[in-house]
Amino acid sequence: MQDDAHHDENSAVEIHGPEAFAAMRKAGKLAAELLDYITPFVVPGARTGDIDDLCDAFTREHGAVSAPLGYRGYPRAVCISANHVVCHGIPGDKKLEEGDIVNIDVTPKLEGWHGDSSRMYLVGDRISLKARRLVDVTYECLMLGIEQVKPGNTLGDIGHAIQQHAEAANFSIVRDFCGHGTGQTFHTPPSVLHYGKPGEGLTIKPGMIFTIEPMLNAGKYDVKVLADGWTAVTKDKSLSAQFEHTIGVTDTGVEIFTLSPKGYTKPPYI
Ligand code: MF3
Ligand code: CO
Ligand code: CO
C-alpha cells in the first residue's frame, strides 16, 4: 500500500493509502452500527418510511450524512427492498408483513467517506424455507466473493466464485447491478460483476477499495425498473436477496470495513 493516493497506470481505479483506509474503517463501522441498530425495528407492521427516518436520524446523530438522500434525485436516506424488489426500494407508506424478506442498504458519508453496506432481515418468524435458503446462499455468495479478494487475483475470480455458488443452488445472479469502487465518491470504477470467469477482468491490487453486493433471484435474473425510476423488481416476481460489504485490498488479502460490531452476519440476528 502506498502513502499517497494515485491512479493505477492500467485503469481508472484509484489506489488508496493508509489515511483513506483509516477513514473507510470509520465510515464502514458506522454503516455496520446503523444496520445493527435498525435490527429490532424490522418487524411486522413497521412502516418503511419510519425505518428510513430512524436510519437518517441515527446517521446524523453520529456526525454523518445519508449519501443516498438526493443522490441523482433519490428521495430517501436508505433503500428498503422487500421480497421481489431486487434493490433501490424507496421507503414510504408500505408496511412490512409477517414472512417478508427485506434488504436494507445504507451508506452513511462520514467525514467525506462512504460506508456502503446492506443486509437481509426476516420479518417475523414464519419465513418460507425457500426464502431462508435464498437469504443464506446470498450471504454465502458475498463471503465467497470476499475470499477471492487478494493481490494478483482478478475481479473475474470474485464473480466466478459468486456465480458458481448461486447457480449450484439453482438461484440466478442479477446482471443489471454490480459492486463498485467507493471512497470519497459514492460510485467509482471498477464495476465489480457478480458473475464471471476465473482469471478474467481487472487484476486486484493493494489499495483498491470497492463493494461486493450480489443480488440473487429465486427465479430468472431479469429485472425491470418501476415507473418511479428507482425500484428494481424481478420480472418474474420471484424473490430476490442481497448482502453488501465495502472492502479494502491489503498487501496480503482483504479488510472488510463494514463488519458488524455486534457480530451480526446473516439472519436471524440474536
Ligand atoms: N447503496 C446502493 C449501492 O449499493 C446505492 C444506492 S443509490 C440510491 O450502491 F440512490 F439508490 F440510494
Ligand atoms: Co454499493
Ligand atoms: Co449499498
Side-chain angles (χ1 to χ4, degrees):
M1 209 185 300
Q2 317 217 358
D3 273 4
D4 299 305
H6 68 276
H7 286 86
D8 186 282
E9 298 76 22
N10 302 314
S11 65
V13 178
E14 194 170 347
I15 300 298
H16 296 273
E19 298 84 0
F21 273 57
M24 286 301 294
R25 218 165 272 140
K26 287 167 75 174
K29 184 176 180 214
L30 182 58
E33 286 169 343
L34 172 54
L35 291 173
D36 286 355
Y37 157 78
I38 206 62
T39 305
F41 299 101
V42 186
V43 292
R47 187 179 159 273
T48 57
D50 292 339
I51 293 175
D52 183 83
D53 288 341
L54 288 168
C55 288
D56 195 44
F58 182 95
T59 299
R60 292 172 194 275
E61 281 160 17
H62 289 77
V65 297
S66 302
L69 189 60
Y71 176 80
R72 300 189 181 191
Y74 187 76
R76 302 299 296 236
V78 304
C79 300
I80 303 183
S81 304
N83 301 325
H84 73 296
V85 180
V86 173
C87 63
H88 302 165
I90 303 174
D93 285 328
K94 180 196 154 58
K95 289 194 166 82
L96 300 180
E97 291 173 33
E98 174 74 42
D100 286 351
I101 60 167
V102 182
N103 176 276
I104 301 182
D105 189 340
V106 304
T107 311
K109 184 181 182 183
L110 181 65
E111 292 165 11
W113 297 82
H114 293 79
D116 188 3
S117 187
S118 82
R119 294 181 201 151
M120 296 301 295
Y121 299 82
L122 308 178
V123 182
D125 43 27
R126 300 206 304 274
I127 312 295
S128 75
L129 259 177
K130 180 155 200 177
R132 278 174 203 269
R133 177 99 187 107
L134 176 64
V135 169
D136 286 350
V137 171
T138 304
Y139 179 75
E140 291 160 8
C141 282
L142 170 60
M143 299 315 288
L144 286 168
I146 291 173
E147 277 180 28
Q148 292 298 318
V149 178
K150 58 187 91 161
N153 274 11
T154 68
L155 293 186
D157 293 324
I158 297 173
H160 179 73
I162 292 169
Q163 182 177 17
Q164 278 285 118
H165 190 63
E167 291 178 354
N170 264 309
F171 297 132
S172 65
I173 293 287
V174 170
R175 306 298 204 260
D176 290 4
F177 300 96
C178 54
H180 50 89
T182 192
Q184 288 172 296
T185 302
F186 197 167
H187 295 106
T188 68
S191 288
V192 181
L193 306 186
H194 303 113
Y195 55 93
K197 300 210 175 83
E200 290 193 350
L202 193 73
T203 298
I204 296 167
K205 294 187 179 166
M208 289 181 176
I209 291 175
F210 55 84
T211 74
I212 304 179
E213 48 183 298
M215 282 143 274
L216 273 66
N217 295 348
K220 293 185 168 49
Y221 61 65
D222 306 82
V223 163
K224 67 175 179 185
V225 175
L226 300 186
D228 61 23
W230 285 103
T231 312
V233 300
T234 55
K235 262 192 189 162
D236 63 8
K237 302 275 170 63
S238 65
L239 290 176
S240 188
Q242 178 180 29
F243 285 85
E244 175 177 24
H245 274 313
T246 301
I247 64 92
V249 184
T250 66
D251 291 334
T252 53
V254 65
E255 175 174 354
I256 304 175
F257 295 126
T258 46
L259 283 179
S260 163
K262 282 199 193 298
Y264 291 172
T265 53
K266 65 186 178 69
Y269 304 116
I270 34 173

